[in-house]
Amino acid sequence: DAGVIQSPRHEVTEMGQEVTLRCKPISGHDYLFWYRQTMMRGLELLIYFNNNVPIDDSGMPEDRFSAKMPNASFSTLKIQPSEPRDSAVYFCASSKRTGSNTGELFFGEGSRLTVL
Amino acid sequence: EDQVTQSPEALRLQEGESSSLNCSYTVSGLRGLFWYRQDPGKGPEFLFTLYSAGEEKEKERLKATLTKKESFLHITAPKPEDSATYLCAVQTGGSYIPTFGRGTSLIVHP
């Protein structure tokens, strides 16, 4: 069974360019999360979806960040324009809600973004 | 505000030297506490879920315990392959979404 698939694994871009990160969650999972990980701040939740609907985007740092989930098998995180401070590893994770708990999260291998 | 604090930030052990990692939390209405392992260049991988004080879970050389204010991840006779960052996350009554601590970086020397 394939896990969460993210692309690209590595992205190097110049300040001001648009960046699009992609995620395919595990089939049958109803929650999808986007996290950002840095040495300074650890793992931060950016946004999460339930059944393809954005539920909480309060972690999105600013209007330059946007996320979509057009269907149950695909999500994107877009940064436009990118800035050097956006450099981080971005993780996508999915889970299936069981009872009153979202249960364990299954993470992808991450997309390492470097903005020069 | 809910908080999750892990200590120590980094830990170096000799192979076979048992120790414990700590995760303390100040949250209202704990729904669940999760432990994850993260290897360099990889995403976090789920280890355990604990739901109530007194609960314990074991997996190979790892044992997780939970009290009303903290959780411990005990590592017995660690091996170099146990080297990783261990993350703790809590899920509260107000949200189904886990909040992660900063993690403990564990290095086990042969």
Side-chain angles (χ1 to χ4, degrees), chain B residues 26-42:
Chain B
T26 54
V27 301
S28 55
L30 182 73
R31 283 188 182 272
L33 184 142
F34 306 86
W35 283 99
Y36 287 80
R37 168 187 171 131
Q38 185 174 21
D39 292 302
K42 303 286 187 180

Side-chain angles (χ1 to χ4, degrees), chain A residues 9 31 33 35 37 39-43 45 48 91 97 100-105 107-109, chain B residues 31-32 34 36 38 41-46 49 51 87 91 95-102:
Chain A
R9 289 296 315 279
Y31 279 82
F33 307 82
Y35 283 89
Q37 188 174 44
M39 290 293 292
M40 291 294 294
R41 301 174 69 90
L43 259 178
L45 178 66
Y48 77 93
F91 287 102
R97 181 167 167 180
S100 63
N101 201 300
T102 52
E104 64 182 273
L105 270 58
F107 284 81
E109 296 207 322
Chain B
R31 283 188 182 272
F34 306 86
Y36 287 80
Q38 185 174 21
K42 303 286 187 180
E45 180 181 351
F46 172 79
T49 307
Y51 293 105
L87 297 165
Q91 196 173 48
S95 170
Y96 296 114
I97 308 309
T99 299
F100 282 82
R102 297 287 301 275

